[in-house]
Amino acid sequence: MRPPAPPPSAPGSAHAQPTAPRSAHGSGTAQRSAPRGADGPGTAQRSAPRRVVQRAVPTSADVARLAGVSRATVSYVLNNTSSVRISEPTRRRVHEAARELGYVPHAAARSLRAGHTRMVLLPAPEVAVGPLYSGLFHELHWALSRLDYTVVQFGSAGQSGDQAARAWAELRPAAVLMFSTFSARLGPLGVDVLKRSGVRAVITLAQEPTEGAHAVLMDQRTVGRCAGEHLLARGRRRIGVVVPEEPGLEAYSLPRLEGVRRAAQGTGAEITELPLAYDEASAARLAGRWRRLDLDGVFAYNDEYAMLLMRALQDEGIGVPDDTAVMGADDLMLGRLLRPRLSTVRIELPSGRELAEIVDRAVRDPGAPPEVHKVLDVTAVPRESA
Amino acid sequence: MRPPAPPPSAPGSAHAQPTAPRSAHGSGTAQRSAPRGADGPGTAQRSAPRRVVQRAVPTSADVARLAGVSRATVSYVLNNTSSVRISEPTRRRVHEAARELGYVPHAAARSLRAGHTRMVLLPAPEVAVGPLYSGLFHELHWALSRLDYTVVQFGSAGQSGDQAARAWAELRPAAVLMFSTFSARLGPLGVDVLKRSGVRAVITLAQEPTEGAHAVLMDQRTVGRCAGEHLLARGRRRIGVVVPEEPGLEAYSLPRLEGVRRAAQGTGAEITELPLAYDEASAARLAGRWRRLDLDGVFAYNDEYAMLLMRALQDEGIGVPDDTAVMGADDLMLGRLLRPRLSTVRIELPSGRELAEIVDRAVRDPGAPPEVHKVLDVTAVPRESA
DNA sequence: TTGAAAGCGTTACCAG
DNA sequence: CTGGTAACGCTTTCAA
């Protein structure tokens, strides 16, 4: 997160603020007022070519000066502090001055002073997540805003989960929501780093709970189980399960596979794992050896892979559902457009509001022991393909 | 040393404020000051533990004390400052102490002192964007990380673009990338707010340039033009253009429509706007009145709407492409699976690396006049449906 | 080679 | 009701 070293190059070019040593300890308001530029007093602060007059960023002190009041008053007015009454004319002068200067408070300074933030960190998804999750993110975002949190999606491009945790901890967020199903897995160490840095709530959305964190369990195995049970109920006994070859999806695909296995337990059905990349060639290859595989049913990970596979099977002359029943998951619109219509598993994610409330509760009571919420409602949607 | 402030009244009663004083983004203005029990350097940590020992968050001073050095030394060691040489044993002691305490630097404090950040703000998309944009975001993110920027996706749930700009300005990012094609439009005012708050680079990805900002123009009209030209070349003259009813898509759909119109100019072809919601009922309704519309070609906004419409047309007994040619856009995999295979417009977005370099250049030279980059390469992909 | 101290912009606490 | 002042955690110059 640190720049390795500011390009030393031109002397003074990168100087943050070569302010003259403050005359007295605490004459607080008296400096750096005028547009720095022109001929600096004494210290030659030859800023690089100032093609455009880069005005200094206005601070609350500037506002105070312009309004002819103290910085405290500015703060009171701009924050609507209720414990202090400020006369109406003063208020107006302050607002006026702020507007004129284009003053925007400095979040870092504020949170430094406050000792905490209202930031909630969400991990920016690294693999293309479906519309389901996009929708959830969006809802969650909205719900958290309503609760006066600032939502920040924070990426961890290529770092490990625990490295990422460190980077996030630097921001001192109030809460961190971690999707352990994504590639950057957060382990107990990461949770610990976050907690020690003052994060009030760490919440994982995952398959299984992480030590020390609240957990919202989205057990993908139930998706597999549901699909498996559906196929079994239709009398299928030699069942294939598509496992995408694309990296980053294992967190979903493996539990789904496991779920099918569980459903098959004790039924005498046979489960076959079928690696498949998301392209036509791969699907054609799989379809090519389909007859040898001798399967009468397949759960294709999700609707997209199901569509891909179904098309390849049909092109190969394999009847769906007669020869092989095909089952998807996620209940995408597009599955309904195929012929035969794609049978699928509908997944009910928790609502953004629910999630936001879990976050809020956890933030308000950081001492509380980790809660575990089970979510993910799952229903088979029988259509024509299975 | 001043005595520790007594814990604020009833711990549980400090509700997050029911009504925020102001937007107060970034760090909020919660009353709950909750100064952590112990106080600064020097005194023994005797904070009264509540339910769980909420250790005070370690600061660099704590590290210094434990390592038996000054804070300056800690800073030097931890930041690998090259202008100062620290003895190896000291280095080790410092690192050791930092590790033991779980010290993580405070980003806000650091950037406050530094006077600038390495943060790049991206808007979190508000409408479900396709895999194209997800991919671009992901690439961009990665490329910016390589350039040592911290990427933050920042939402603006429901605010106007210029309001959002204010919220973003509070974070004092080095650069803001704005997708003016999304619902929160950033106008010249917003750009000004950002610039005055010290943001070094404002870059819009948009249809048209915004005053004062660098622009990466992704002209959606070319998509429409390409589709239109293709249909015209196939001899179609009465062309429909699907315009999604879903809000938030206008920024794409309207320019695409406009592009088709332009392609048709002077050819005598007739363009008909076709509102369509993304559900089967809406598609069926549109297909129901298709014969009356008397169209021999349609550009369906993108592949998803195209698939939806194509299915509805087929169900209505309308031949594709014989009666009506159908054209999509985005070249999704799924379009290839349909029969007839969907003709489409492939869109080549700029690479994340390119974009990252534009950002970096702009940050390094904030005074430079706004650049305008034209991107978006577009090619028709003829398949069977048109 | 290390340490002391000045501030970055804000807000909370007390004197006026 | 208003204004001075200290302090949040960090970096960096200057002095020892």
Side-chain angles (χ1 to χ4, degrees), chain A residues 170-251:
Chain A
E170 295 193 353
L171 300 184
R172 300 288 192 272
V176 173
L177 228 85
M178 182 69 204
F179 290 68
S180 291
T181 37
F182 291 163
S183 64
R185 255 207 168 66
L186 185 66
L189 280 77
V191 174
D192 196 54
V193 168
L194 289 170
K195 289 213 157 163
R196 283 171 58 156
S197 81
V199 175
R200 297 170 68 92
V202 180
I203 297 142
T204 50
L205 271 77
Q207 185 74 23
E208 300 176 358
T210 296
E211 164 117 23
H214 298 267
V216 175
L217 300 187
M218 311 199 307
D219 192 343
Q220 300 289 333
R221 285 172 303 202
T222 62
V223 177
R225 186 150 51 72
C226 179
E229 281 167 0
H230 182 81
L231 288 168
L232 289 163
R234 303 280 157 137
R236 310 295 166 148
R237 284 297 175 274
R238 300 181 308 283
I239 297 175
V241 178
V242 168
V243 178
E245 288 179 354
E246 279 68 29
L249 258 34
E250 309 86 357

Side-chain angles (χ1 to χ4, degrees), chain A residues 268-329:
Chain A
E270 222 179 288
I271 306 299
T272 309
E273 189 176 335
L274 304 170
L276 174 64
Y278 192 61
D279 60 68
E280 288 177 292
S282 176
R285 245 175 289 130
L286 178 54
R289 56 195 188 91
W290 198 259
R291 295 187 202 278
R292 257 173 297 143
L293 285 166
D294 187 33
L295 301 171
D296 59 8
V298 60
F299 168 54
Y301 175 64
N302 75 6
D303 285 352
E304 294 184 304
Y305 285 83
M307 289 187 238
L308 179 61
L309 177 58
M310 198 160 89
R311 167 53 61 197
L313 291 177
Q314 288 175 326
D315 286 352
E316 193 68 22
I318 290 156
V320 175
D322 298 338
D323 298 329
T324 299
V326 177
M327 189 95 194

Side-chain angles (χ1 to χ4, degrees), chain A residues 50-205:
Chain A
R50 58 192 155 126
R51 228 169 300 192
V52 173
V53 212
Q54 177 67 16
R55 268 187 311 268
V57 182
T59 72
S60 74
D62 296 321
V63 177
R65 202 170 323 113
L66 182 56
V69 300
S70 74
R71 283 147 74 214
T73 307
V74 171
S75 176
Y76 292 143
V77 171
L78 261 31
N79 294 320
N80 257 320
T81 307
S82 52
S83 65
V84 181
R85 282 258 258 282
I86 307 284
S87 71
E88 199 46 51
T90 306
R91 297 187 97 79
R92 262 218 313 284
R93 281 216 314 285
V94 170
H95 277 125
E96 177 70 18
R99 216 181 38 71
E100 178 164 337
L101 292 169
Y103 168 72
V104 173
H106 193 304
R110 176 181 284 173
S111 68
L112 182 57
R113 165 68 216 206
H116 62 91
T117 68
R118 297 274 300 171
M119 226 187 294
V120 175
L121 251 44
L122 304 190
E126 304 203 12
V127 321
V129 297
L132 252 61
Y133 285 86
S134 310
L136 175 58
F137 270 54
H138 190 221
E139 269 185 43
L140 177 58
H141 184 166
W142 194 85
L144 284 170
S145 305
R146 300 281 308 179
L147 293 171
D148 197 40
Y149 290 98
T150 297
V151 178
V152 166
Q153 283 194 50
F154 197 75
S156 52
Q159 307 172 72
S160 85
D162 292 330
Q163 274 180 304
R166 238 192 77 96
W168 299 351
E170 295 193 353
L171 300 184
R172 300 288 192 272
V176 173
L177 228 85
M178 182 69 204
F179 290 68
S180 291
T181 37
F182 291 163
S183 64
R185 255 207 168 66
L186 185 66
L189 280 77
V191 174
D192 196 54
V193 168
L194 289 170
K195 289 213 157 163
R196 283 171 58 156
S197 81
V199 175
R200 297 170 68 92
V202 180
I203 297 142
T204 50
L205 271 77

Side-chain angles (χ1 to χ4, degrees), chain B residues 36 60 71 76 103 106 110 113:
Chain B
R36 39 176 241 252
S60 75
R71 282 149 73 212
Y76 292 144
Y103 170 72
H106 193 304
R110 174 180 284 169
R113 165 69 217 216

Side-chain angles (χ1 to χ4, degrees), chain B residues 33-315:
Chain B
S33 58
R36 39 176 241 252
D39 56 4
T43 24
Q45 310 253 338
R46 301 208 342 98
S47 87
R50 278 212 322 231
R51 202 178 325 186
V52 171
V53 213
Q54 177 66 14
R55 271 184 309 265
V57 182
T59 72
S60 75
D62 296 320
V63 177
R65 203 172 323 116
L66 182 56
V69 300
S70 77
R71 282 149 73 212
T73 307
V74 171
S75 177
Y76 292 144
V77 172
L78 262 30
N79 294 322
N80 259 321
T81 307
S82 53
S83 65
V84 178
R85 274 243 186 359
I86 306 285
S87 70
E88 198 46 51
T90 307
R91 296 188 98 81
R92 262 217 312 286
R93 281 216 315 285
V94 170
H95 276 124
E96 177 70 17
R99 217 181 37 70
E100 180 165 336
L101 292 170
Y103 170 72
V104 173
H106 193 304
R110 174 180 284 169
S111 68
L112 182 56
R113 165 69 217 216
H116 60 91
T117 68
R118 296 279 294 174
M119 226 188 295
V120 175
L121 251 43
L122 304 189
E126 304 203 12
V127 323
V129 298
L132 253 62
Y133 285 86
S134 310
L136 176 57
F137 269 55
H138 189 221
E139 269 184 44
L140 176 59
H141 185 165
W142 194 84
L144 285 171
S145 305
R146 301 279 310 179
L147 294 171
D148 199 41
Y149 291 98
T150 297
V151 178
V152 167
Q153 283 195 47
F154 199 74
S156 53
Q159 307 170 73
S160 86
D162 291 331
Q163 273 180 305
R166 239 192 76 96
W168 300 351
E170 296 193 355
L171 300 184
R172 301 289 193 269
V176 173
L177 226 87
M178 182 69 206
F179 291 68
S180 291
T181 38
F182 291 164
S183 64
R185 255 208 167 66
L186 186 66
L189 279 78
V191 174
D192 195 56
V193 168
L194 288 170
K195 290 212 158 161
R196 282 169 63 154
S197 80
V199 174
R200 296 170 68 92
V202 180
I203 297 142
T204 49
L205 271 77
Q207 185 73 25
E208 300 176 358
T210 296
E211 164 117 25
H214 298 269
V216 175
L217 299 187
M218 311 200 307
D219 193 342
Q220 300 290 332
R221 285 173 302 204
T222 62
V223 178
R225 185 151 49 73
C226 178
E229 281 167 0
H230 182 81
L231 289 168
L232 289 163
R234 303 283 158 135
R236 310 296 167 149
R237 283 297 174 274
R238 300 181 308 283
I239 297 176
V241 177
V242 168
V243 178
E245 288 178 353
E246 280 68 28
L249 258 34
E250 308 86 359
Y252 299 90
S253 60
L254 265 23
R256 289 184 183 189
L257 168 61
E258 172 63 17
V260 180
R261 287 229 159 87
R262 292 205 186 175
Q265 226 154 31
T267 65
E270 221 178 286
I271 306 299
T272 309
E273 189 176 336
L274 303 171
L276 173 63
Y278 192 59
D279 59 69
E280 288 177 291
S282 177
R285 243 175 290 130
L286 178 54
R289 57 196 187 89
W290 198 260
R291 294 187 202 279
R292 254 173 299 144
L293 285 167
D294 188 33
L295 302 170
D296 59 9
V298 60
F299 169 54
Y301 174 63
N302 75 6
D303 285 353
E304 294 185 304
Y305 284 83
M307 290 187 238
L308 179 62
L309 177 59
M310 197 161 88
R311 166 55 60 198
L313 291 178
Q314 288 174 327
D315 286 352

